[in-house]
Amino acid sequence: MDINLFFQGYDSVNGYQASILKEIDQAVHFRRCVLTSRDNDGNDTYDPEKYEKIDYDMCANARYEYCMDMNTLRPLSRELLTAMEPYEPTAVKMLCRITDFDIFTYDEAKRFYLHHLRFWNDVFERNAINFVFLTGIPHHTHDYVIYALTKAKKIPMCIVAPTHLPHWCFVGNDLYRLYERLDSAYVRQRDNTDPVELPADVEEYYQALLRENKQKKMQVMLGSGSKKEHARKEKRQIMGYVMRDKIAKRQLSRIKHGILDSLRGGSAAPLRKNLQWMKKDAYHIRKVRHKLKACDTIADYEKMAVVPDRKRENYVLFLLHLQPEATTLPQAGVFVEQELCVQLLAPVLKEYGIRLYVKEHFVQPYRMKNFYRDLRDTENVTLVSSDVDSVDLLADCVAAATPAGTVSIEAIANGKPVFVFGHGGFEHGPGIYQVGNEDECRAAIADILQGREISAQAVRNYFRAFADSALCVYSPIEGAKPELVEKSRREIVSLAVREIRGAI
């Protein structure tokens, strides 16, 4: 049987991506390979008879009509549109990643989505794709459409999904079941009573989660720089679409490339396309700025938040996620709107005399209008100032709660149970309760109040199971040691070969 591979590539230098695919081909001999990647230095070369390389930025920014004649693509069938219906709302919502703001009308968003779907369905059909290898969490519309098409067409797939631990990735076959290999490894490791040795970087991360190592946590989680510096960088990233220097850079690049491409081709068409793109970009900028005027800021939040006396009452701690990010969209699943978690959990906790503390992420630059007010007005909820240290709040809580965030493992590392609403991969470890309705919340809190201990041995066994089932990947563009990059490259090749052979 011919193997026709779709491979979501990595950022590449020095032929890194091409060498991975060459070795996979030598082992399994695929007929066709379609890939998206970012070739940062032009050293990835491919045989056009065998490979089809698709521009990643064209896909991420939904610019298909500027790059090709959409009339050449296959039309969409009733059967495919119906099969894709469950995935459509998530794919449409992900369009916020273009500008980091939800600015599109329903009609605009639906049009973008259908462009993605039509383009990628044509790619899959034309190349008879029968195996998909994803090297990240699908969190842009185009790669989520690729994921959804793979599911709808029942094509075998492997996902290498980054986790909270730097460089470490889950390996799975379904975005919402990334826990499966970890759970299997934990079954084998769970009854171990011997001292647990973890890989050095996993051990460092585990130690950083412990509350007595608060300073170490900042270094491991945020890297160099202070919390304030980190917030400034993240804000610039999120707000970059409407920052004047970045706007100017985008526009100058478009004019430059439009002129050069027109001169090379002897036609004004490339320049006209780029000017058309700039006009639409200006339209998006106006919409973002208009949206910002109607958003709440962290300053608005702080006016409603308090510094609680955490010693005086029992509480569960809910740490809001930074948004947009993959841990909510798509990994929170149906709980991507975080107020749904709060509305579900707060009344159940009230039955047990337990308060729900909600704390904003210190980096979040804006929320939708009235988001904070609605949280504040939810019965049994206290908004906690973002200046209050989360480590201290976690130390005194009855439990923590999260859609799919880092706190799921930070809590258990410190002997605290946690409610998890989403599908981040750490759903079923010791002291972790996956919940999605009132009865599950009640069962979890009743079990927690029995005082069930989360032992350090159990948690370390869980981390060991994670290391045994996960993949450690070092990128060639991050300045990692060459030997680590090469080891990662070989392991990616080995994984892809095993998965393809096992499925086809």
Side-chain angles (χ1 to χ4, degrees), residues 431-460:
I432 298 176
Y433 298 85
Q434 190 172 35
V435 295
N437 58 50
E438 290 177 303
D439 288 341
E440 289 173 348
C441 289
R442 287 190 185 97
I445 195 64
D447 195 57
I448 289 168
L449 292 177
Q450 290 181 5
R452 197 182 303 276
E453 181 186 359
I454 305 169
S455 70
Q457 179 73 42
V459 175
R460 290 186 66 83

PDB file of all heavy atoms in Angstrom, residues 431-460:
ATOM      1  N   GLY A 431      -4.770  12.240  42.742  1.00  0.00           N
ATOM      2  CA  GLY A 431      -5.347  13.480  43.254  1.00  0.00           C
ATOM      3  C   GLY A 431      -5.976  14.366  42.207  1.00  0.00           C
ATOM      4  O   GLY A 431      -6.398  15.480  42.525  1.00  0.00           O
ATOM      5  N   ILE A 432      -6.064  13.899  40.960  1.00  0.00           N
ATOM      6  CA  ILE A 432      -6.657  14.695  39.889  1.00  0.00           C
ATOM      7  C   ILE A 432      -8.059  14.157  39.592  1.00  0.00           C
ATOM      8  O   ILE A 432      -8.243  12.963  39.376  1.00  0.00           O
ATOM      9  CB  ILE A 432      -5.794  14.667  38.616  1.00  0.00           C
ATOM     10  CG1 ILE A 432      -4.415  15.269  38.899  1.00  0.00           C
ATOM     11  CG2 ILE A 432      -6.469  15.424  37.483  1.00  0.00           C
ATOM     12  CD1 ILE A 432      -3.458  15.205  37.726  1.00  0.00           C
ATOM     13  N   TYR A 433      -9.039  15.051  39.577  1.00  0.00           N
ATOM     14  CA  TYR A 433     -10.430  14.678  39.326  1.00  0.00           C
ATOM     15  C   TYR A 433     -10.903  15.376  38.056  1.00  0.00           C
ATOM     16  O   TYR A 433     -11.007  16.605  38.022  1.00  0.00           O
ATOM     17  CB  TYR A 433     -11.318  15.098  40.499  1.00  0.00           C
ATOM     18  CG  TYR A 433     -10.964  14.444  41.812  1.00  0.00           C
ATOM     19  CD1 TYR A 433      -9.957  14.991  42.620  1.00  0.00           C
ATOM     20  CD2 TYR A 433     -11.619  13.302  42.254  1.00  0.00           C
ATOM     21  CE1 TYR A 433      -9.632  14.401  43.830  1.00  0.00           C
ATOM     22  CE2 TYR A 433     -11.303  12.708  43.468  1.00  0.00           C
ATOM     23  CZ  TYR A 433     -10.298  13.264  44.250  1.00  0.00           C
ATOM     24  OH  TYR A 433      -9.959  12.670  45.459  1.00  0.00           O
ATOM     25  N   GLN A 434     -11.187  14.614  37.022  1.00  0.00           N
ATOM     26  CA  GLN A 434     -11.752  15.218  35.820  1.00  0.00           C
ATOM     27  C   GLN A 434     -13.259  15.342  36.008  1.00  0.00           C
ATOM     28  O   GLN A 434     -13.945  14.355  36.285  1.00  0.00           O
ATOM     29  CB  GLN A 434     -11.447  14.401  34.571  1.00  0.00           C
ATOM     30  CG  GLN A 434     -11.831  15.152  33.293  1.00  0.00           C
ATOM     31  CD  GLN A 434     -11.372  14.453  32.035  1.00  0.00           C
ATOM     32  OE1 GLN A 434     -11.367  13.238  31.977  1.00  0.00           O
ATOM     33  NE2 GLN A 434     -10.987  15.230  31.023  1.00  0.00           N
ATOM     34  N   VAL A 435     -13.759  16.561  35.866  1.00  0.00           N
ATOM     35  CA  VAL A 435     -15.172  16.830  36.142  1.00  0.00           C
ATOM     36  C   VAL A 435     -15.795  17.570  34.969  1.00  0.00           C
ATOM     37  O   VAL A 435     -15.105  18.274  34.222  1.00  0.00           O
ATOM     38  CB  VAL A 435     -15.347  17.664  37.429  1.00  0.00           C
ATOM     39  CG1 VAL A 435     -14.878  16.883  38.650  1.00  0.00           C
ATOM     40  CG2 VAL A 435     -14.607  18.998  37.335  1.00  0.00           C
ATOM     41  N   GLY A 436     -17.125  17.401  34.830  1.00  0.00           N
ATOM     42  CA  GLY A 436     -17.813  18.089  33.762  1.00  0.00           C
ATOM     43  C   GLY A 436     -19.274  18.337  34.039  1.00  0.00           C
ATOM     44  O   GLY A 436     -19.984  18.903  33.213  1.00  0.00           O
ATOM     45  N   ASN A 437     -19.741  17.942  35.247  1.00  0.00           N
ATOM     46  CA  ASN A 437     -21.127  18.211  35.631  1.00  0.00           C
ATOM     47  C   ASN A 437     -21.205  18.298  37.154  1.00  0.00           C
ATOM     48  O   ASN A 437     -20.215  18.033  37.859  1.00  0.00           O
ATOM     49  CB  ASN A 437     -22.082  17.141  35.080  1.00  0.00           C
ATOM     50  CG  ASN A 437     -21.721  15.737  35.534  1.00  0.00           C
ATOM     51  OD1 ASN A 437     -21.524  15.483  36.727  1.00  0.00           O
ATOM     52  ND2 ASN A 437     -21.645  14.798  34.592  1.00  0.00           N
ATOM     53  N   GLU A 438     -22.381  18.645  37.663  1.00  0.00           N
ATOM     54  CA  GLU A 438     -22.533  18.850  39.105  1.00  0.00           C
ATOM     55  C   GLU A 438     -22.280  17.575  39.900  1.00  0.00           C
ATOM     56  O   GLU A 438     -21.648  17.614  40.967  1.00  0.00           O
ATOM     57  CB  GLU A 438     -23.940  19.373  39.400  1.00  0.00           C
ATOM     58  CG  GLU A 438     -24.168  20.809  38.923  1.00  0.00           C
ATOM     59  CD  GLU A 438     -25.595  21.262  39.168  1.00  0.00           C
ATOM     60  OE1 GLU A 438     -26.523  20.599  38.670  1.00  0.00           O
ATOM     61  OE2 GLU A 438     -25.770  22.275  39.882  1.00  0.00           O
ATOM     62  N   ASP A 439     -22.777  16.448  39.409  1.00  0.00           N
ATOM     63  CA  ASP A 439     -22.597  15.201  40.141  1.00  0.00           C
ATOM     64  C   ASP A 439     -21.126  14.829  40.256  1.00  0.00           C
ATOM     65  O   ASP A 439     -20.675  14.358  41.314  1.00  0.00           O
ATOM     66  CB  ASP A 439     -23.374  14.065  39.456  1.00  0.00           C
ATOM     67  CG  ASP A 439     -24.880  14.201  39.639  1.00  0.00           C
ATOM     68  OD1 ASP A 439     -25.298  14.923  40.571  1.00  0.00           O
ATOM     69  OD2 ASP A 439     -25.635  13.586  38.857  1.00  0.00           O
ATOM     70  N   GLU A 440     -20.370  15.026  39.181  1.00  0.00           N
ATOM     71  CA  GLU A 440     -18.938  14.725  39.232  1.00  0.00           C
ATOM     72  C   GLU A 440     -18.216  15.679  40.182  1.00  0.00           C
ATOM     73  O   GLU A 440     -17.288  15.267  40.900  1.00  0.00           O
ATOM     74  CB  GLU A 440     -18.345  14.801  37.828  1.00  0.00           C
ATOM     75  CG  GLU A 440     -18.777  13.658  36.929  1.00  0.00           C
ATOM     76  CD  GLU A 440     -18.339  13.799  35.486  1.00  0.00           C
ATOM     77  OE1 GLU A 440     -17.874  14.908  35.100  1.00  0.00           O
ATOM     78  OE2 GLU A 440     -18.464  12.814  34.735  1.00  0.00           O
ATOM     79  N   CYS A 441     -18.645  16.949  40.223  1.00  0.00           N
ATOM     80  CA  CYS A 441     -18.049  17.904  41.169  1.00  0.00           C
ATOM     81  C   CYS A 441     -18.353  17.482  42.607  1.00  0.00           C
ATOM     82  O   CYS A 441     -17.475  17.540  43.483  1.00  0.00           O
ATOM     83  CB  CYS A 441     -18.570  19.313  40.900  1.00  0.00           C
ATOM     84  SG  CYS A 441     -17.947  20.070  39.383  1.00  0.00           S
ATOM     85  N   ARG A 442     -19.596  17.076  42.853  1.00  0.00           N
ATOM     86  CA  ARG A 442     -19.968  16.642  44.211  1.00  0.00           C
ATOM     87  C   ARG A 442     -19.178  15.411  44.627  1.00  0.00           C
ATOM     88  O   ARG A 442     -18.685  15.326  45.765  1.00  0.00           O
ATOM     89  CB  ARG A 442     -21.463  16.339  44.268  1.00  0.00           C
ATOM     90  CG  ARG A 442     -22.362  17.563  44.235  1.00  0.00           C
ATOM     91  CD  ARG A 442     -23.802  17.216  44.544  1.00  0.00           C
ATOM     92  NE  ARG A 442     -24.651  18.392  44.379  1.00  0.00           N
ATOM     93  CZ  ARG A 442     -25.349  18.652  43.277  1.00  0.00           C
ATOM     94  NH1 ARG A 442     -25.323  17.795  42.254  1.00  0.00           N
ATOM     95  NH2 ARG A 442     -26.073  19.753  43.198  1.00  0.00           N
ATOM     96  N   ALA A 443     -19.070  14.439  43.730  1.00  0.00           N
ATOM     97  CA  ALA A 443     -18.332  13.219  44.053  1.00  0.00           C
ATOM     98  C   ALA A 443     -16.869  13.538  44.344  1.00  0.00           C
ATOM     99  O   ALA A 443     -16.269  12.969  45.274  1.00  0.00           O
ATOM    100  CB  ALA A 443     -18.440  12.227  42.894  1.00  0.00           C
ATOM    101  N   ALA A 444     -16.307  14.457  43.574  1.00  0.00           N
ATOM    102  CA  ALA A 444     -14.901  14.817  43.780  1.00  0.00           C
ATOM    103  C   ALA A 444     -14.698  15.509  45.111  1.00  0.00           C
ATOM    104  O   ALA A 444     -13.776  15.164  45.873  1.00  0.00           O
ATOM    105  CB  ALA A 444     -14.424  15.708  42.630  1.00  0.00           C
ATOM    106  N   ILE A 445     -15.543  16.500  45.432  1.00  0.00           N
ATOM    107  CA  ILE A 445     -15.336  17.247  46.680  1.00  0.00           C
ATOM    108  C   ILE A 445     -15.609  16.353  47.887  1.00  0.00           C
ATOM    109  O   ILE A 445     -14.924  16.462  48.919  1.00  0.00           O
ATOM    110  CB  ILE A 445     -16.196  18.530  46.705  1.00  0.00           C
ATOM    111  CG1 ILE A 445     -15.698  19.478  47.817  1.00  0.00           C
ATOM    112  CG2 ILE A 445     -17.657  18.241  46.878  1.00  0.00           C
ATOM    113  CD1 ILE A 445     -14.312  19.997  47.625  1.00  0.00           C
ATOM    114  N   ALA A 446     -16.578  15.438  47.768  1.00  0.00           N
ATOM    115  CA  ALA A 446     -16.844  14.515  48.873  1.00  0.00           C
ATOM    116  C   ALA A 446     -15.628  13.627  49.119  1.00  0.00           C
ATOM    117  O   ALA A 446     -15.258  13.357  50.273  1.00  0.00           O
ATOM    118  CB  ALA A 446     -18.080  13.669  48.561  1.00  0.00           C
ATOM    119  N   ASP A 447     -15.003  13.164  48.054  1.00  0.00           N
ATOM    120  CA  ASP A 447     -13.818  12.322  48.178  1.00  0.00           C
ATOM    121  C   ASP A 447     -12.655  13.114  48.761  1.00  0.00           C
ATOM    122  O   ASP A 447     -11.915  12.636  49.622  1.00  0.00           O
ATOM    123  CB  ASP A 447     -13.439  11.761  46.810  1.00  0.00           C
ATOM    124  CG  ASP A 447     -12.459  10.601  46.899  1.00  0.00           C
ATOM    125  OD1 ASP A 447     -12.787   9.603  47.573  1.00  0.00           O
ATOM    126  OD2 ASP A 447     -11.367  10.697  46.308  1.00  0.00           O
ATOM    127  N   ILE A 448     -12.508  14.364  48.312  1.00  0.00           N
ATOM    128  CA  ILE A 448     -11.423  15.223  48.800  1.00  0.00           C
ATOM    129  C   ILE A 448     -11.569  15.476  50.298  1.00  0.00           C
ATOM    130  O   ILE A 448     -10.588  15.439  51.064  1.00  0.00           O
ATOM    131  CB  ILE A 448     -11.406  16.549  48.016  1.00  0.00           C
ATOM    132  CG1 ILE A 448     -10.915  16.310  46.585  1.00  0.00           C
ATOM    133  CG2 ILE A 448     -10.537  17.595  48.711  1.00  0.00           C
ATOM    134  CD1 ILE A 448     -11.139  17.482  45.651  1.00  0.00           C
ATOM    135  N   LEU A 449     -12.806  15.709  50.744  1.00  0.00           N
ATOM    136  CA  LEU A 449     -13.035  16.040  52.152  1.00  0.00           C
ATOM    137  C   LEU A 449     -12.824  14.852  53.082  1.00  0.00           C
ATOM    138  O   LEU A 449     -12.757  15.026  54.302  1.00  0.00           O
ATOM    139  CB  LEU A 449     -14.442  16.615  52.326  1.00  0.00           C
ATOM    140  CG  LEU A 449     -14.659  17.993  51.692  1.00  0.00           C
ATOM    141  CD1 LEU A 449     -16.098  18.446  51.857  1.00  0.00           C
ATOM    142  CD2 LEU A 449     -13.696  19.034  52.265  1.00  0.00           C
ATOM    143  N   GLN A 450     -12.699  13.674  52.543  1.00  0.00           N
ATOM    144  CA  GLN A 450     -12.356  12.508  53.360  1.00  0.00           C
ATOM    145  C   GLN A 450     -10.895  12.518  53.779  1.00  0.00           C
ATOM    146  O   GLN A 450     -10.473  11.707  54.591  1.00  0.00           O
ATOM    147  CB  GLN A 450     -12.652  11.218  52.592  1.00  0.00           C
ATOM    148  CG  GLN A 450     -14.135  10.932  52.405  1.00  0.00           C
ATOM    149  CD  GLN A 450     -14.381   9.632  51.667  1.00  0.00           C
ATOM    150  OE1 GLN A 450     -13.444   8.881  51.370  1.00  0.00           O
ATOM    151  NE2 GLN A 450     -15.637   9.346  51.357  1.00  0.00           N
ATOM    152  N   GLY A 451     -10.144  13.459  53.195  1.00  0.00           N
ATOM    153  CA  GLY A 451      -8.749  13.621  53.590  1.00  0.00           C
ATOM    154  C   GLY A 451      -7.805  12.644  52.937  1.00  0.00           C
ATOM    155  O   GLY A 451      -6.747  12.323  53.490  1.00  0.00           O
ATOM    156  N   ARG A 452      -8.163  12.177  51.741  1.00  0.00           N
ATOM    157  CA  ARG A 452      -7.307  11.231  51.030  1.00  0.00           C
ATOM    158  C   ARG A 452      -5.952  11.864  50.726  1.00  0.00           C
ATOM    159  O   ARG A 452      -5.871  12.933  50.116  1.00  0.00           O
ATOM    160  CB  ARG A 452      -8.000  10.790  49.747  1.00  0.00           C
ATOM    161  CG  ARG A 452      -7.405   9.509  49.144  1.00  0.00           C
ATOM    162  CD  ARG A 452      -8.116   9.160  47.854  1.00  0.00           C
ATOM    163  NE  ARG A 452      -9.560   9.011  48.062  1.00  0.00           N
ATOM    164  CZ  ARG A 452     -10.132   7.888  48.494  1.00  0.00           C
ATOM    165  NH1 ARG A 452      -9.376   6.844  48.794  1.00  0.00           N
ATOM    166  NH2 ARG A 452     -11.444   7.817  48.630  1.00  0.00           N
ATOM    167  N   GLU A 453      -4.875  11.204  51.136  1.00  0.00           N
ATOM    168  CA  GLU A 453      -3.524  11.755  50.979  1.00  0.00           C
ATOM    169  C   GLU A 453      -3.000  11.551  49.560  1.00  0.00           C
ATOM    170  O   GLU A 453      -3.240  10.519  48.930  1.00  0.00           O
ATOM    171  CB  GLU A 453      -2.560  11.087  51.969  1.00  0.00           C
ATOM    172  CG  GLU A 453      -1.137  11.612  51.884  1.00  0.00           C
ATOM    173  CD  GLU A 453      -0.175  10.826  52.773  1.00  0.00           C
ATOM    174  OE1 GLU A 453      -0.641   9.898  53.461  1.00  0.00           O
ATOM    175  OE2 GLU A 453       1.029  11.138  52.747  1.00  0.00           O
ATOM    176  N   ILE A 454      -2.289  12.566  49.065  1.00  0.00           N
ATOM    177  CA  ILE A 454      -1.570  12.443  47.791  1.00  0.00           C
ATOM    178  C   ILE A 454      -0.093  12.350  48.143  1.00  0.00           C
ATOM    179  O   ILE A 454       0.539  13.347  48.509  1.00  0.00           O
ATOM    180  CB  ILE A 454      -1.825  13.665  46.888  1.00  0.00           C
ATOM    181  CG1 ILE A 454      -3.324  13.877  46.682  1.00  0.00           C
ATOM    182  CG2 ILE A 454      -1.125  13.494  45.539  1.00  0.00           C
ATOM    183  CD1 ILE A 454      -3.666  15.195  46.028  1.00  0.00           C
ATOM    184  N   SER A 455       0.447  11.175  48.081  1.00  0.00           N
ATOM    185  CA  SER A 455       1.819  10.969  48.551  1.00  0.00           C
ATOM    186  C   SER A 455       2.831  11.448  47.517  1.00  0.00           C
ATOM    187  O   SER A 455       2.580  11.415  46.303  1.00  0.00           O
ATOM    188  CB  SER A 455       2.068   9.489  48.851  1.00  0.00           C
ATOM    189  OG  SER A 455       2.111   8.735  47.651  1.00  0.00           O
ATOM    190  N   ALA A 456       3.981  11.883  48.012  1.00  0.00           N
ATOM    191  CA  ALA A 456       5.065  12.290  47.118  1.00  0.00           C
ATOM    192  C   ALA A 456       5.517  11.118  46.256  1.00  0.00           C
ATOM    193  O   ALA A 456       5.885  11.299  45.087  1.00  0.00           O
ATOM    194  CB  ALA A 456       6.236  12.832  47.936  1.00  0.00           C
ATOM    195  N   GLN A 457       5.453   9.898  46.812  1.00  0.00           N
ATOM    196  CA  GLN A 457       5.830   8.711  46.041  1.00  0.00           C
ATOM    197  C   GLN A 457       4.914   8.539  44.833  1.00  0.00           C
ATOM    198  O   GLN A 457       5.373   8.285  43.710  1.00  0.00           O
ATOM    199  CB  GLN A 457       5.749   7.465  46.923  1.00  0.00           C
ATOM    200  CG  GLN A 457       6.112   6.152  46.212  1.00  0.00           C
ATOM    201  CD  GLN A 457       7.599   6.022  45.948  1.00  0.00           C
ATOM    202  OE1 GLN A 457       8.417   6.349  46.805  1.00  0.00           O
ATOM    203  NE2 GLN A 457       7.969   5.545  44.761  1.00  0.00           N
ATOM    204  N   ALA A 458       3.602   8.695  45.062  1.00  0.00           N
ATOM    205  CA  ALA A 458       2.646   8.544  43.968  1.00  0.00           C
ATOM    206  C   ALA A 458       2.878   9.591  42.887  1.00  0.00           C
ATOM    207  O   ALA A 458       2.809   9.294  41.684  1.00  0.00           O
ATOM    208  CB  ALA A 458       1.221   8.635  44.498  1.00  0.00           C
ATOM    209  N   VAL A 459       3.145  10.822  43.297  1.00  0.00           N
ATOM    210  CA  VAL A 459       3.361  11.898  42.324  1.00  0.00           C
ATOM    211  C   VAL A 459       4.646  11.659  41.532  1.00  0.00           C
ATOM    212  O   VAL A 459       4.685  11.824  40.310  1.00  0.00           O
ATOM    213  CB  VAL A 459       3.393  13.270  43.022  1.00  0.00           C
ATOM    214  CG1 VAL A 459       3.730  14.377  42.026  1.00  0.00           C
ATOM    215  CG2 VAL A 459       2.051  13.558  43.692  1.00  0.00           C
ATOM    216  N   ARG A 460       5.698  11.251  42.212  1.00  0.00           N
ATOM    217  CA  ARG A 460       6.945  10.980  41.511  1.00  0.00           C
ATOM    218  C   ARG A 460       6.789   9.782  40.576  1.00  0.00           C
ATOM    219  O   ARG A 460       7.366   9.763  39.479  1.00  0.00           O
ATOM    220  CB  ARG A 460       8.089  10.778  42.499  1.00  0.00           C
ATOM    221  CG  ARG A 460       8.501  12.069  43.223  1.00  0.00           C
ATOM    222  CD  ARG A 460       9.728  11.866  44.098  1.00  0.00           C
ATOM    223  NE  ARG A 460      10.914  11.567  43.319  1.00  0.00           N
ATOM    224  CZ  ARG A 460      11.691  12.472  42.723  1.00  0.00           C
ATOM    225  NH1 ARG A 460      11.387  13.766  42.812  1.00  0.00           N
ATOM    226  NH2 ARG A 460      12.762  12.105  42.045  1.00  0.00           N
TER     227      ARG A 460
END
